[in-house]
Amino acid sequence: MSPVAMAQRTFTNPIKSSGPDPWVLQKDGWYYYMNTTGRNLTLWRTHNLAELATAESKIVYTPPAGQPYSRDLWAPEIHSFNDRWYIYFSADSLNNRSHRVWVIENASPDPMQGDWVMKGKIGDKADHWEIDMSVIDYKGQLYAAWSGWEGPTNGRQDIYLARLKNPWTIDGDRIKISQPDLPWEMHGDVPQAWQKNGEVPKIYVNEGPEFLQHSDKLFIVYSANACWLDYCLGLLTYNGKGDLLDPGSWTKSQNPVFVQAPENGVWAPGHGGFFRSADGKQDWMIYHANRSATDGCGDKRAPYIQPFTWHADGSPDFGKPIVNVAVPAPIAK
């Protein structure tokens, strides 16, 4: 194989120079990619993720000015259900307290074509603050997981789960399945710029929940601590027997399952997502991380991807962040 051909099939992390809250969906040999832009919903696609930085891209949706979803668009995810495409994204109109999740739909076979139509806000009955929604079809039933506040303004971010009656409507009540309650989840000092009158308030964070299914096991991987601190990934495991909406059906791992590697120049890895290679044989994770301990929560966060394996008990083995080495890309179509 020529050096040029080899270069086309490998990459080094980060796979793009910037891209907070990255997401990949692999479908029919295409890798569809999204990340937070803050202003619009941009979709990339490629047959070869090693070429993501130069992949075809298109702004598929720009919210009209003055709408309750017109500002601070975060954490977009593209999904496909019942031969239609859906993008879930968090947005607000005035400030963070108005953040909710919104859904757009496209009936075209090609998500880069056709019209994206606003289906509306997807939330619980009491209209609580929410961000970072992801959705799964589990045994023929749609479920959504997201990060939310227990009250209207308490600021502590918990993980909630709900059943869906269709891809844009919650069916029934939201159920809290995790809150920051372990020592490693509670490193919540806020940045100095947010402090007032010398006070150092705490914000404890569980966010970015992502479903991960392996054989007969179901997990939710979530981000803990905070993006300006030692962000890391935690794990919730479904016991496989009870109702998914019963908090007792989920067990939280007592330690994080993926942490930063300052010795490799990787800080605050979080907001992980998961996909399979086009040949269906390899499991991959995507996450964002910083290249400095002081990079914070802005556009310095860049996307990293790497393969992962499984422990003997069926739980994911994410290893350590991989950086500065050539990695064979996910199998291309």
Side-chain angles (χ1 to χ4, degrees):
M1 183 179 295
S2 71
V4 172
M6 179 65 76
Q8 292 174 341
R9 291 174 171 80
T10 64
F11 67 92
T12 57
N13 276 321
I15 199 165
K16 283 179 64 198
S17 61
S18 175
D21 308 324
W23 170 259
V24 168
L25 171 70
Q26 187 278 122
K27 182 174 173 59
D28 300 330
W30 285 104
Y31 296 97
Y32 296 97
Y33 170 88
M34 303 191 77
N35 62 234
T36 290
T37 70
R39 307 170 307 278
N40 57 50
L41 301 179
T42 301
L43 180 63
W44 286 258
R45 73 172 176 186
T46 179
H47 288 304
N48 187 345
L49 274 175
E51 301 172 352
L52 179 61
T54 58
E56 173 189 8
S57 67
K58 181 179 180 180
I59 296 174
V60 296
Y61 188 80
T62 300
Q67 294 297 317
Y69 47 87
S70 61
R71 294 181 49 181
D72 299 327
L73 280 67
W74 296 349
E77 292 190 5
I78 185 169
H79 292 262
S80 176
F81 301 118
N82 301 322
D83 297 323
R84 296 196 173 211
W85 300 93
Y86 297 90
I87 294 177
Y88 299 82
F89 65 99
S90 313
D92 65 41
S93 58
L94 296 174
N95 54 49
N96 181 46
R97 289 188 177 184
S98 64
H99 255 110
R100 300 296 188 271
V101 175
W102 302 81
V103 189
I104 57 175
E105 179 190 63
N106 189 341
S108 171
D110 181 354
M112 306 290 276
Q113 305 298 323
D115 295 324
W116 285 94
V117 178
M118 172 58 67
K119 300 299 290 185
K121 179 170 59 176
I122 176 171
D124 69 295
K125 296 175 182 176
D127 192 30
H128 287 95
W129 182 94
E130 63 182 9
I131 61 169
D132 296 351
M133 184 174 287
S134 194
V135 177
I136 189 174
D137 183 337
Y138 183 69
K139 297 184 177 180
Q141 172 64 56
L142 293 177
Y143 294 89
W146 68 91
S147 179
W149 292 348
E150 189 168 70
T153 61
N154 69 316
R156 189 195 71 214
Q157 293 181 222
D158 304 329
I159 302 299
Y160 291 91
L161 188 65
R163 185 179 289 110
L164 301 183
K165 64 175 61 176
N166 56 47
W168 61 90
T169 310
I170 286 177
D171 184 12
D173 297 325
R174 67 173 189 168
I175 304 299
K176 183 171 69 174
I177 59 172
S178 179
Q179 71 178 55
D181 52 17
L182 296 174
W184 57 271
E185 297 179 291
M186 301 176 71
H187 301 170
D189 290 356
V190 303
Q192 187 172 5
W194 299 2
Q195 299 172 18
K196 296 180 179 179
N197 302 321
E199 297 179 356
V200 183
K202 302 284 187 177
I203 297 179
Y204 299 138
V205 175
N206 277 184
E207 64 185 7
E210 299 291 355
F211 294 100
L212 176 59
Q213 191 170 0
H214 178 61
S215 299
D216 60 345
K217 293 185 176 295
L218 180 66
F219 307 93
I220 291 178
V221 182
Y222 64 96
S223 301
N225 295 329
C227 52
W228 62 89
L229 295 171
D230 51 341
Y231 219 33
C232 59
L233 298 181
L235 184 71
L236 302 172
T237 302
Y238 171 55
N239 65 18
K241 300 176 182 178
D243 185 349
L244 262 67
L245 299 184
D246 178 359
S249 297
W250 295 89
T251 301
K252 179 187 289 189
S253 294
Q254 294 299 295
N255 296 294
V257 292
F258 192 68
V259 299
Q260 62 188 16
E263 70 278 11
N264 293 336
V266 180
W267 280 265
H271 210 106
F274 309 97
F275 61 97
R276 304 210 79 191
S277 56
D279 64 356
K281 296 181 179 180
Q282 195 174 38
D283 293 294
W284 286 78
M285 65 185 300
I286 184 167
Y287 57 94
H288 69 226
N290 284 325
R291 283 160 283 188
S292 163
T294 59
D295 281 349
C297 304
D299 289 342
K300 291 184 178 180
R301 294 174 294 174
Y304 294 63
I305 66 170
Q306 59 189 68
F308 69 95
T309 57
W310 303 90
H311 292 294
D313 65 358
S315 63
D317 181 358
F318 297 132
K320 296 181 65 174
I322 296 176
V323 68
N324 297 329
V325 297
V327 179
I331 297 297
K333 183 176 180 180

